[in-house]
């Protein structure tokens, strides 16, 4: 029986999540599978891969052919690297301990690169947030300045109106005693 390592689509519309499965070549994409060996979520940054390493290695060594995307997943998880190293052990190039040591060194390097990528993405996100906050502060300052200028103009207009009113009252007060003085002699006569 010819087997393939391929992806079965799941999830919702526009938000796919895939299962990494071992299936017969003739089976439909989302049809019956022999074994489920992992999941792949391309919606996260970086993509999330959960893979049963031992079973993937077993099926790869027994002759299962992966699809292009499945091959990418297996390479990124190191299944192909381990298959290559086990081939070197079978040929006698090095022993099992050296094989495991080389694989661990490769895995550490890969993990460090992934962590650096995640850290850079987080720093970029923080920098964008800080830039947006700074732009918002500047916008708030300009708005506050416009509001303060408008309030100052209103206060000046109000003070000017009060000064005009006070002048009018003072002028009226000055004319009122004169009017009282004119009215008083007329009452005496």
């Amino acid at each position: 029986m010819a087997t393939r390592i391929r992806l079965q689509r799941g999830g919702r519309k526009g938000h796919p999540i895939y299962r990494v499965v071992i299936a017969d070549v003739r089976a439909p994409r989302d049809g019956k599978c022999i074994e489920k060996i992992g999941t792949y979520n391309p919606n996260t940054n970086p993509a999330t891969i959960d893979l049963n390493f031992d079973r993937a290695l077993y099926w790869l060594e027994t002759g299962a052919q992966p699809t292009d995307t499945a091959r990418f997943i297996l390479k990124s998880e190191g299944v192909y690297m381990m298959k290559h190293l086990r081939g070197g052990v079978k040929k006698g190039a090095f022993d099992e301990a050296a094989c495991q040591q080389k694989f661990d060194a490769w895995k550490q390097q890969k993990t460090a690169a992934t962590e650096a990528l995640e850290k850079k993405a987080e720093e970029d996100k923080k920098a964008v947030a800080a830039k947006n906050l700074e732009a918002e502060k500047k916008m708030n300052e300009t708005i506050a300045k416009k509001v303060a200028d408008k309030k100052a103009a209103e206060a000046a207009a109000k003070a000017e109106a009060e000064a005009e009113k006070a002048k009018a009252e003072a002028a009226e007060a000055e004319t009122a005693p004169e009017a009282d003085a004119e009215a008083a002699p007329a009452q005496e006569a």
Side-chain angles (χ1 to χ4, degrees):
M1 171 171 58
T3 56
R4 286 199 79 108
I5 301 173
R6 64 183 181 195
L7 303 178
Q8 265 187 353
R9 192 181 195 282
R12 64 178 189 267
K13 182 178 178 181
H15 191 79
I17 297 176
Y18 299 95
R19 288 183 289 280
V20 182
V21 298
I22 309 300
D24 188 351
V25 173
R26 297 165 295 189
R29 180 193 74 181
D30 295 334
K32 186 177 178 183
C33 66
I34 299 169
E35 182 180 353
K36 177 187 166 206
I37 60 171
T39 59
Y40 170 63
N41 184 358
N43 302 310
T44 60
N45 185 18
T48 305
I49 300 170
D50 181 29
L51 188 68
N52 185 340
F53 187 84
D54 295 331
R55 293 304 294 169
L57 184 60
Y58 165 77
W59 281 105
L60 197 59
E61 287 179 339
T62 56
Q65 294 296 312
T67 60
D68 292 337
T69 308
R71 183 176 295 113
F72 166 76
I73 291 169
L74 295 175
K75 281 183 178 180
S76 68
E77 289 297 304
V79 176
Y80 269 92
M81 180 71 165
M82 183 56 93
K83 181 183 177 197
H84 174 73
L85 292 172
R86 281 192 175 179
V89 170
K90 287 179 185 175
K91 291 179 182 176
F94 45 85
D95 62 343
E96 189 69 34
C99 169
Q100 189 62 38
Q101 185 179 16
K102 287 182 180 185
F103 181 75
D104 290 340
W106 177 85
K107 193 69 172 176
Q108 284 179 347
Q109 183 181 14
K110 176 105 170 105
T111 304
T114 304
E115 287 175 357
L117 182 67
E118 289 174 356
K119 186 177 180 181
K120 184 177 184 281
E122 186 177 318
E123 287 175 358
D124 289 346
K125 190 183 280 187
K126 285 182 180 179
V128 167
K131 184 178 178 184
N132 289 343
L133 181 65
E134 196 65 35
E136 187 175 343
K137 283 182 180 179
K138 284 184 179 181
M139 183 64 73
N140 288 343
E141 287 175 3
T142 57
I143 290 171
K145 186 176 180 182
K146 286 180 183 178
V147 169
D149 290 344
K150 187 175 180 181
K151 284 185 178 181
E154 287 176 0
K158 189 176 181 181
E160 188 177 310
E162 286 180 9
E164 288 291 325
K165 188 177 179 182
K167 265 188 181 179
E169 288 178 3
E172 194 177 297
E174 287 179 10
T175 57
E178 292 174 4
D180 287 341
E182 290 175 10
Q187 287 178 1
E188 291 177 10

